[in-house]
Amino acid sequence: MPLFVELGGRLAVVVGGGLVAERRVVRLLAAGATVRVTAPGITPLLASLAYRDEIELRQREFEDADVEGGFLVVTATDNAAVNERVREAARQAGALVNAADHHNSGDVVFGAEARLGPVRLAVTTLGAAPAESSRIRDELAAALTGESVERVSAASSRRRRPGFGAPGPRVALVGAGPGDPGLVTARGLELLRAADVVVHDHLVDPRLLAEAPETADLVYVGKRAGSHHFSQAGIDALLVRLAIEDPARRIVRLKGGDPFVFGRGSEEVEALGAAGIDVEVVPGVTAGTAVPACAGIPITARGTAPSVTFVTGHRAAAGSREVDWRALGATGGTICVFMGLARLHDIAQELISGGMAPTTPAVAISRGCTPQQRLVEAPVGKLPAAVEQAGLVSPVLLVIGEAVNRRA
């Protein structure tokens, strides 16, 4: 029986940690489900989601108790015996089962889906003929939108898609915004929905990844504190290789915030340009403006904050220019520090040494513009101790200056 189910707040258990499980998790999170993943090995994207507390991770072999409380259980391992055990445990617990490994072994099938404004369209052949499901979905979507079947089909398959313009090797460097998927630009969303490959960062929300076509490859290249799955040089080389291997492949490099604001986007553009690959840069909403706004802080305010400075808290590479924190301490405007958590104590001391009053208002905002947003507010001289006591985790934006007192 065809059903559309409200998953908001309900527990979905995914057993398996590979690419199939990954895509199921992305779709479930986009639908508002609470997700638990059990698997001894997981993809880098699933590891990133667990690190951000977007999913509950039980990184070990499956146990029957893992399905407890589950409304929906997905079997997505490559071991038929394990999948059968999961199905039996789920049914004993009264949960519905989606069998990613065998369409006849479950209660629920994930169909070919299209989102047409307020209309949700889903077509299924119960797993027997996925290509036929996609064809029918495209024909129905075309009838509803008035577009040609060819255009709709091109936007949901691996063929060349609309939105990228001229043929030839091409990469779109898209800013994903600071956290909330609703803050991506219209152009960025258009390109994402037309992608063959999405190369994405650690901070990209899974609800935004769910906007990519079902057939698109999701390639995680996230870097977080102390854990770099790819080096920057490795990311550059990957983008070049993907574009050269197949000039018809539509590649979206999806980066948190704005690609050119402490996002190392310029390095990726230079590497692609040197290889003769055309790049479209789509600006994103930078965390420097959005995160304070989400916290109710106007970073400029007449009579209080006449200027704003964006600065990185990372130490400069050898031979590079170091930030003059003492000079910044005397500016009198708002200072927004990206990636400053690890050096917060030194940064605060340098600002005070440059003339900033220790009582200057300051706030540290963790995971801004997301449901996990946390704030610690304290005078700049006491902020390091307050942040340490609160146990804030990256990403953290520091906002320092009188504008903090204008927080709504």
Side-chain angles (χ1 to χ4, degrees):
M1 177 181 293
L3 296 173
F4 286 87
V5 180
E6 174 56 61
L7 289 179
R10 285 176 163 157
L11 176 62
V13 180
V14 178
V15 182
L19 293 177
V20 173
E22 179 183 283
R23 291 310 296 254
R24 290 289 198 270
V25 168
V26 167
R27 291 187 69 177
L28 290 165
L29 289 174
T34 300
V35 178
R36 174 189 299 156
V37 174
T38 297
I42 55 174
T43 67
L45 172 57
L46 293 176
S48 172
L49 294 174
Y51 176 82
R52 287 151 45 188
D53 296 324
E54 301 259 3
I55 62 174
E56 176 193 350
L57 176 62
R58 299 182 177 182
Q59 196 165 359
R60 52 165 171 72
E61 297 292 346
F62 172 75
E63 298 176 4
D64 290 359
D66 291 331
V67 303
E68 290 180 359
F71 174 79
L72 173 65
V73 175
V74 177
T75 63
T77 81
D78 57 3
N79 186 311
V82 172
N83 290 335
E84 179 56 37
R85 180 184 168 195
V86 174
R87 284 190 286 271
E88 181 59 30
R91 285 168 176 154
Q92 289 292 327
L96 295 172
V97 177
N98 169 250
D101 61 316
H102 198 291
H103 63 269
N104 288 326
S105 301
D107 310 304
V108 177
V109 174
F110 285 38
E113 183 181 348
R115 303 179 187 184
L116 310 172
V119 176
R120 296 291 291 273
L121 176 65
V123 179
T124 180
T125 57
L126 301 181
E132 186 71 0
S133 298
S134 298
R135 182 188 65 79
I136 295 171
R137 173 201 57 196
D138 294 342
E139 290 184 356
L140 290 172
L144 289 170
T145 61
E147 295 186 352
S148 69
V149 175
E150 291 75 16
R151 181 176 177 85
V152 171
S153 180
S156 60
S157 73
R158 285 188 174 276
R159 294 189 299 243
R160 182 169 298 151
R161 309 172 193 279
F164 276 84
R170 187 175 180 85
V171 174
L173 192 63
V174 176
D180 186 336
L183 295 178
V184 70
T185 65
R187 177 58 177 163
L189 190 58
E190 178 187 20
L191 291 168
L192 177 61
R193 288 172 172 170
D196 294 305
V197 181
V198 181
V199 181
H200 63 96
D201 283 348
H202 169 59
L203 297 177
V204 175
D205 193 287
R207 291 172 291 174
L208 191 54
L209 294 176
E211 294 290 342
E214 295 173 12
T215 54
D217 291 331
L218 304 181
V219 182
Y220 174 82
V221 294
K223 293 181 283 187
R224 64 177 189 263
S227 176
H228 287 193
H229 180 59
F230 269 79
S231 66
Q232 186 59 52
I235 295 171
D236 298 344
L238 172 66
L239 293 172
V240 170
R241 177 175 62 78
L242 289 172
I244 290 177
E245 279 181 349
D246 182 357
R249 182 184 280 153
R250 307 296 89 179
I251 302 164
V252 166
R253 172 68 171 107
L254 195 59
K255 300 175 70 69
D258 183 283
F260 283 178
V261 180
F262 304 122
R264 303 186 73 171
S266 61
E267 298 173 43
E268 295 172 12
V269 170
E270 289 169 3
L272 290 162
I277 299 164
D278 190 22
V279 182
E280 177 180 354
V281 179
V282 180
V285 179
T286 176
T289 57
V291 169
C294 288
I297 299 171
I299 56 176
T300 63
R302 187 171 59 175
T304 302
S307 66
V308 60
T309 302
F310 294 159
V311 63
T312 176
H314 271 323
R315 290 190 182 277
S320 300
R321 183 177 177 182
E322 182 63 81
V323 174
D324 189 343
W325 294 102
R326 295 193 178 199
L328 281 178
T331 62
T334 304
I335 303 172
C336 294
V337 185
F338 292 68
M339 300 169 287
L341 181 61
R343 297 185 60 205
L344 176 53
H345 182 271
D346 292 342
I347 289 169
Q349 290 303 310
E350 287 291 303
L351 290 171
I352 293 169
S353 296
M356 178 177 284
T359 55
T360 300
V363 64
I365 308 170
S366 172
R367 299 182 178 181
C369 299
T370 74
Q372 293 80 33
Q373 177 174 293
R374 290 183 61 199
L375 283 76
V376 172
E377 187 172 351
V380 67
K382 298 181 179 180
L383 187 63
V387 167
E388 182 177 0
Q389 183 177 6
L392 290 191
V393 296
S394 62
V396 169
L397 184 83
L398 309 175
V399 185
I400 304 166
E402 294 299 328
V404 173
N405 280 339
R406 301 287 291 270
R407 183 159 74 91

